[in-house]
Amino acid sequence: MTALLTTKGLSRHFGGLRAVDNVDFSLEPGEIRAVIGPNGAGKTTFVSLVCGRYAPTSGSIVFDGEDITAMPAHLRVRRGIAYTFQITSVFANLSAYDNVALPVQRTLTDGRSRGAVRQGAMEALERVGLAGRAHEQAGTLAYGHQRLLEVAMGLALRPRLLILDEPTQGLSDGEIENFIALAREIARDATILLIEHNMPVVMALARRISVFNAGRILAEGSPAEIRANAAVQEAYLGTAQEAEA
């Protein structure tokens, strides 16, 4: 199968800090891939390079056969890459509906009617369970609901690659179960790249896991392979499981 996304020798340095250091990475269409690792491992910097928030110091990024290394972020969105941020970035003074209607409008090439925008926005809100809160001001929503609103904003772009940075942070146990079901449903139409610290969520969703440490990929494999990897246990899983306990 031809990869949807590949990086070769991808690096990003901030002064003497090698936040991402010579990363080779490949993601297949339709995959749910989890990226895990300790804080400061380079996970968010890596996905920021993929979506165009940062320019790489060196290396290349190819999406669906096209070199996008120098492509601006807004053009990557048009190619089908959507990213929800680690820190919630909704428009607090707008309604939940208006937050989602804005990205819907970007997907409409013809017939930018109110009806088409409303249908797209309400479909995205319905998928994340927020249709009943459509006209509430986004800034008044609970933090977990703001996280779900961000997912709805990403879905409204009809992405081919949806990058989710800690989407379950702030969600209740019931909302996490609903998110797992939602992610599986999204994966029928899109590829998901998931940064997540909640190990039960990672193990439930990911077919493969990439473990970052000190800006590099320490290990890759199935959930079972990662669970059994001694280096991963030492660098991350042991401390992550202790934190959850």
Side-chain angles (χ1 to χ4, degrees), residues 38-53:
N39 291 331
K43 307 180 299 294
T44 293
T45 302
F46 172 72
V47 297
S48 294
L49 291 169
V50 171
C51 74
R53 290 183 68 207

Side-chain angles (χ1 to χ4, degrees), residues 94-134:
L94 298 181
S95 68
Y97 172 85
D98 287 338
N99 269 269
V100 181
L102 289 170
V104 168
Q105 290 174 356
R106 299 191 67 167
T107 69
L108 299 176
T109 55
D110 297 305
R112 291 175 177 246
S113 67
R114 288 186 178 181
V117 172
R118 177 172 177 77
Q119 180 179 352
M122 292 308 297
E123 284 178 356
L125 287 168
E126 182 71 38
R127 291 178 78 180
V128 302
L130 292 179
R133 300 179 180 272

Side-chain angles (χ1 to χ4, degrees), residues 209-221:
I209 299 170
S210 298
V211 184
F212 272 67
N213 192 42
R216 292 175 171 264
I217 293 181
L218 174 66
E220 287 187 318

